[in-house]
């Protein structure tokens, strides 16, 4: 399915407010409610919209620690990548995991209750023998810019 300008506008508005009513959404994108709802349902069916969730301000939760870890695996066979991913996807503290190019294999974002919880988690991961060769941790001190939306209009304007 190819997205048109109206689809992009729908996605942009839903990123800003996933709880917006269909009538309000239709008004914002200058479409009548029925075709607007049909488009939203099509975007959901086609997998462009994968779900709706609340955005939580981590700083309001009390004592939390955000850590980015560069993780390098010992071996680079498909089975090694699969074993690592199967393990980390089960860890609630892992909120993002990216396979990257460059000097390491994965960039993983953890959110934990503190440094000792993070360190215990990493020690368990290394002891589980899921193929970790080495890791480097970067503790987040402050997050002055965190965006929860994709730059859809600039991506699709090209």
């Amino acid at each position: 399915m190819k997205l048109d300008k109206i689809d992009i506008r729908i996605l942009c508005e839903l990123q800003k407010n996933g709880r917006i009513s269909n009538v309000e959404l239709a008004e914002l994108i200058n479409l009548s409610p029925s075709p607007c709802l049909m488009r939203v349902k099509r975007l959901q069916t086609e997998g462009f919209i994968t779900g709706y969730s609340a955005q939580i301000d981590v700083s309001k939760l009390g004592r939390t620690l955000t850590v980015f870890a560069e993780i390098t695996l010992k071996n680079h066979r498909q089975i090694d990548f699969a074993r690592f991913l199967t393990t980390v996807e089960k860890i609630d503290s892992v909120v993002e995991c990216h396979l990257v190019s460059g000097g390491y294999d994965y960039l993983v974002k953890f959110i934990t209750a503190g440094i000792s919880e993070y360190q215990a988690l990493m020690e368990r991961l290394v002891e589980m023998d899921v193929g970790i060769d080495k890791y480097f941790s970067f503790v987040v001190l402050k997050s002055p810019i965190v965006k929860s939306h994709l730059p859809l209009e600039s991506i699709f304007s090209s």
Side-chain angles (χ1 to χ4, degrees):
M1 170 183 154
K2 186 159 171 60
L3 299 178
D4 63 17
K5 288 182 180 186
I6 295 172
D7 293 326
I8 300 302
R9 290 181 60 210
I10 289 171
L11 292 174
C12 287
E13 292 302 327
L14 287 175
Q15 281 188 127
K16 292 178 197 171
N17 181 4
R19 296 178 59 159
I20 192 170
S21 73
N22 182 60
V23 172
E24 291 172 305
L25 178 61
E27 191 175 299
L28 281 172
I29 61 168
N30 298 318
L31 202 61
S32 59
S34 182
C36 180
L37 184 59
M38 288 173 45
R39 282 177 176 262
V40 170
K41 289 189 180 296
R42 189 181 82 238
L43 289 165
Q44 291 170 337
T45 302
E46 295 290 328
F48 289 96
I49 299 171
T50 58
Y52 298 87
S53 63
Q55 297 172 12
I56 312 264
D57 183 348
V58 176
S59 69
K60 301 277 188 191
L61 298 176
R63 204 182 99 211
T64 61
L65 179 76
T66 302
V67 179
F68 286 93
E70 297 174 350
I71 298 176
T72 304
L73 301 183
K74 293 175 188 169
N75 298 301
H76 294 97
R77 300 169 300 185
Q78 270 315 112
I79 194 166
D80 300 307
F81 289 107
R83 182 177 62 218
F84 175 78
L85 284 177
T86 299
T87 302
V88 296
E89 72 185 353
K90 294 175 188 168
I91 300 170
D92 286 339
S93 297
V94 173
V95 295
E96 291 180 25
C97 180
H98 306 273
L99 178 64
V100 297
S101 64
Y104 52 95
D105 299 313
Y106 287 99
L107 179 65
V108 183
K109 181 179 180 182
F110 295 86
I111 297 180
T112 66
I115 195 72
S116 51
E117 180 186 326
Y118 169 73
Q119 190 57 41
L121 175 60
M122 288 308 296
E123 288 170 2
R124 275 196 316 275
L125 265 175
V126 170
E127 289 171 4
M128 290 172 75
D129 195 31
V130 294
I132 296 175
D133 181 33
K134 59 187 172 189
Y135 68 93
F136 295 97
S137 304
F138 301 90
V139 174
V140 174
L141 302 176
K142 196 178 208 179
S143 298
I145 300 172
V146 176
K147 296 180 181 179
S148 59
H149 62 277
L150 301 172
L152 296 176
E153 289 172 329
S154 63
I155 290 172
F156 286 98
S157 67
S158 329

